[in-house]
Amino acid sequence: MPAGTRLIAPCGMNCGICLAYLRKERKCPGCHGEDTNKSASCIKCIIRNCEIIKQSQSGFCFECIKYPCKRLQQLDKRYRTKYSMSMIENLEFIKGNGLSAFVERENERWRCQKCGGIICVHRGYCFHCGQRPN
Ligand SMILES: [Zn+2]
């Protein structure tokens, strides 16, 4: 697996830009990582625990017969509204272009123009220097 791809959750979320992953204390290792420091909502997440996804080849929701299921649609709507990011759009990109291309696009999309740090999707600014994207 190329670097960074392990941080992409089945729902299309890039755990690398999540506040829980970026924070210094009680860092979450991401959806695919161990449960230590993971939020309760992520541990009991229907998508993460979905048997269909676990048995699928790619491990992503677009392979599912129920795609996009209600839970994914809710999640997608919340993120589009609150954080200007779409899980379903991410999934469609992965489906069409592959995971490595997606990770590359993500690295570019969330890179701080000022210091090269990572823009946190939840905070909306660079976790390293505080710069907001233009
Ligand atoms: Zn920065």
Side-chain angles (χ1 to χ4, degrees):
M1 242 188 228
T5 55
R6 232 185 100 75
L7 285 174
I8 313 302
C11 62
M13 173 70 187
N14 174 5
C15 294
I17 58 171
C18 175
L19 178 61
Y21 175 82
L22 291 168
R23 69 189 172 202
K24 291 223 162 58
E25 278 160 30
R26 299 186 60 248
K27 269 174 85 79
C28 173
C31 184
H32 292 296
E34 287 168 34
D35 284 353
T36 328
N37 297 338
K38 208 171 272 176
S39 75
S41 61
C42 281
I43 287 173
K44 63 173 195 218
C45 174
I46 291 169
I47 296 172
R48 175 183 177 251
N49 296 308
C50 174
E51 287 304 323
I52 299 168
I53 298 304
K54 280 180 194 164
Q55 283 159 29
S56 71
Q57 190 136 52
S58 69
F60 289 105
C61 285
F62 55 71
E63 262 195 65
C64 186
I65 40 162
K66 290 181 184 169
Y67 173 78
C69 70
K70 216 160 185 115
R71 170 65 186 141
L72 180 62
Q73 285 183 45
Q74 285 168 351
L75 192 65
D76 183 72
K77 193 183 177 191
R78 185 156 68 87
Y79 269 77
R80 272 190 287 114
T81 311
K82 284 185 79 175
Y83 308 117
S84 307
M85 189 213 98
S86 163
M87 270 86 185
I88 293 174
E89 198 268 319
N90 285 356
L91 285 166
E92 288 300 317
F93 188 92
I94 296 167
K95 192 179 169 187
N97 305 278
L99 186 54
S100 300
F102 175 70
V103 170
E104 249 173 69
R105 188 186 75 156
E106 283 293 285
N107 289 345
E108 204 51 51
R109 180 178 178 187
W110 304 99
R111 181 182 294 131
C112 172
Q113 301 270 323
K114 199 173 160 194
C115 78
I118 299 167
I119 310 288
C120 172
V121 65
H122 298 118
R123 291 275 167 84
Y125 55 76
C126 172
F127 223 71
H128 187 70
C129 76
Q131 177 83 5
R132 283 184 181 276
N134 302 322

